[in-house]
Amino acid sequence: MQKTKQRLLTGNKAMAEAIRLEMERDPNVFVMGEDVGVYGGIFGATEGLFQKFGSERVIDTPISETAFIGAAIGAAQEGMRPIVELMFVDFFGVCMDQIYNHMAKIPYMSGGRVKLPMVLMTAVGGGYNDAAQHSQTLYATFAHLPGMKVVAPSTPYDLKGMMISAIRDDNPVVFMFHKTLQGLGWMDQLDASVGHVPEEAYTVPIGKAKVVREGKDLTIVGIQMTTHHALEAAQKLSEDGIEAEVIDLRSLVPLDRETILQSVKKTHRLLVVDEDYLSYGMTAEIAAIVAEEGLYDLEAPVKRLAIPDVPIPYSRPLEQFVLPNAEKIFNEAMKLVNE
């Protein structure tokens, strides 16, 4: 019997397809942001939507993040389901009042009477020399602030499924997509940016991590690019007889603590890898979860690998020096299993 070929999509096309399907399903769904219309989004997340739905449902806005995020919040309060794009996560500074004092807090301060079913999607990540104001991830910045769900899918399949879940959610969701995993022609091409994506609508649950590689000798927890680096490192470790279990967090809020703890109980070693800053970040949070659960049968101290506490350099050699990669993960894992 001939096998049916799997349909392959890049990350950006998977996201755009998810939004298209939900716009077709629900007339209350609309998109707004800078260059999301005719241009299709600087990272392709809204490609083709303007041509299908027109300027009333795919709205190009002026360069005023405070204004258009505020408009999305107002629309969500009135029962619409806006998807609003903050072009780079680094730009959050100019509109954080709208995000944190309004989007995150209005449902709580109204006693749950006012729902905000909106998605704030934003591009994260370095690796292509865009300097300190365009290269951060800032996962922990948003995860630290209560009132918003925060997701960061790492495959085209999850980008589509989690976007659909986010649009249908009655809570505000911050949807972070990694630029390098969008599969755009003008960026470095990675195999990980292309994957099997079914044509129909489907959901991937928010708040559930995924074990993407099983192992018994150590647990490596990653998110987005660091998950793919971890898988590459795990393959190299296996050549030395070390089997690493790799977890893709996918969701920061809610955080799937149980999957992490079950893995560490099995492997007795933990390495957490993050493309965010080292101090006060997700690596520390996950290490603390393991410590608070009293997993004292660890065979070595928890190790963390993340960006040093410096702005992301513009210089390519310096940027590569601060970013996590497969080789760094491999070296840290070797130290961990040999302690």
Side-chain angles (χ1 to χ4, degrees):
M1 180 182 294
Q2 187 175 4
K3 293 180 68 176
T4 304
K5 286 186 177 180
Q6 292 185 333
R7 190 181 69 133
L8 300 177
L9 289 185
T10 56
N12 76 299
K13 292 185 184 301
M15 285 182 65
E17 183 168 88
I19 297 170
R20 174 181 63 78
L21 288 169
E22 289 305 289
M23 291 181 74
E24 290 173 346
R25 188 184 71 89
D26 185 348
N28 289 314
V29 178
F30 71 97
V31 182
M32 64 192 309
E34 298 163 10
D35 293 328
V36 299
V38 176
Y39 192 78
I42 189 171
F43 298 108
T46 57
E47 188 178 285
L49 299 180
F50 182 86
Q51 290 76 10
K52 182 171 180 62
F53 298 102
S55 60
E56 290 191 358
R57 293 186 69 191
V58 184
I59 305 168
D60 276 322
T61 66
I63 302 175
S64 178
E65 287 83 359
T66 296
F68 62 73
I69 292 174
I73 292 166
Q77 287 184 110
E78 294 300 315
M80 303 291 284
R81 290 186 175 269
I83 304 161
V84 59
E85 181 173 280
L86 177 64
M87 187 182 288
F88 289 81
V89 74
D90 317 70
F91 298 169
F92 81 99
V94 299
C95 52
M96 199 54 166
D97 184 56
Q98 291 295 336
I99 296 170
Y100 183 48
N101 276 327
H102 298 275
M103 188 177 100
K105 292 179 178 174
I106 285 172
Y108 173 79
M109 295 177 72
S110 70
R113 288 188 293 274
V114 178
K115 298 186 187 307
L116 284 183
M118 63 177 289
V119 179
L120 175 64
M121 64 179 183
T122 187
V124 304
Y128 69 112
N129 316 119
D130 221 1
Q133 296 174 341
H134 297 76
S135 302
Q136 300 169 103
T137 58
L138 301 181
Y139 300 132
T141 300
F142 289 87
H144 177 70
L145 305 173
M148 307 175 290
K149 295 184 178 182
V150 183
V151 300
S154 63
T155 66
Y157 182 91
D158 285 349
L159 281 164
K160 178 176 175 178
M162 294 188 85
M163 175 57 79
I164 291 175
S165 293
I167 295 169
R168 296 180 183 180
D169 203 301
D170 284 337
N171 300 285
V173 180
V174 178
F175 191 101
M176 296 174 152
F177 60 92
H178 199 289
K179 309 176 192 93
T180 308
L181 295 174
Q182 290 296 90
L184 301 173
W186 53 271
M187 298 185 71
D188 292 341
Q189 294 297 294
L190 299 178
D191 290 344
S193 67
V194 179
H196 166 56
V197 180
E199 290 188 37
E200 68 274 10
Y202 61 89
T203 59
V204 172
I206 294 174
K208 183 64 179 172
K210 182 178 182 181
V211 177
V212 292
R213 188 185 196 279
E214 294 192 358
K216 59 182 177 57
D217 297 315
L218 79 153
T219 297
I220 305 175
V221 176
I223 184 165
Q224 288 192 321
M225 278 301 297
T226 63
T227 298
H228 298 296
H229 293 322
L231 286 169
E232 185 180 342
Q235 180 59 40
K236 187 176 178 183
L237 287 165
S238 70
E239 296 169 7
D240 289 335
I242 299 165
E243 295 302 327
E245 183 149 296
V246 179
I247 296 175
D248 181 5
L249 283 182
R250 300 195 295 188
S251 175
L252 300 178
V253 183
L255 181 64
D256 185 357
R257 298 165 181 244
E258 189 59 32
T259 294
I260 297 166
L261 292 170
Q262 287 300 320
S263 179
V264 176
K265 285 176 182 177
K266 177 174 68 172
T267 66
H268 308 290
R269 295 181 179 91
L270 174 62
L271 170 61
V272 193
V273 191
D274 190 7
E275 198 183 320
D276 205 348
Y277 302 117
L278 179 66
S279 297
Y280 316 105
M282 291 304 302
T283 58
E285 179 66 22
I286 293 166
I289 289 169
V290 171
E292 288 170 350
E293 287 296 317
L295 297 185
Y296 301 124
D297 60 346
L298 291 177
E299 296 182 14
V302 174
K303 287 194 178 293
R304 301 187 293 147
L305 177 61
I307 291 179
D309 300 327
V310 297
I312 311 299
Y314 169 73
S315 159
R316 183 165 184 80
L318 289 177
E319 184 183 37
Q320 294 303 311
F321 177 78
V322 301
L323 288 174
N325 59 32
E327 182 180 3
K328 294 175 185 177
I329 296 171
F330 173 83
N331 291 336
E332 288 298 316
M334 289 297 288
K335 291 178 190 175
L336 190 60
V337 297
N338 289 321
E339 285 192 359

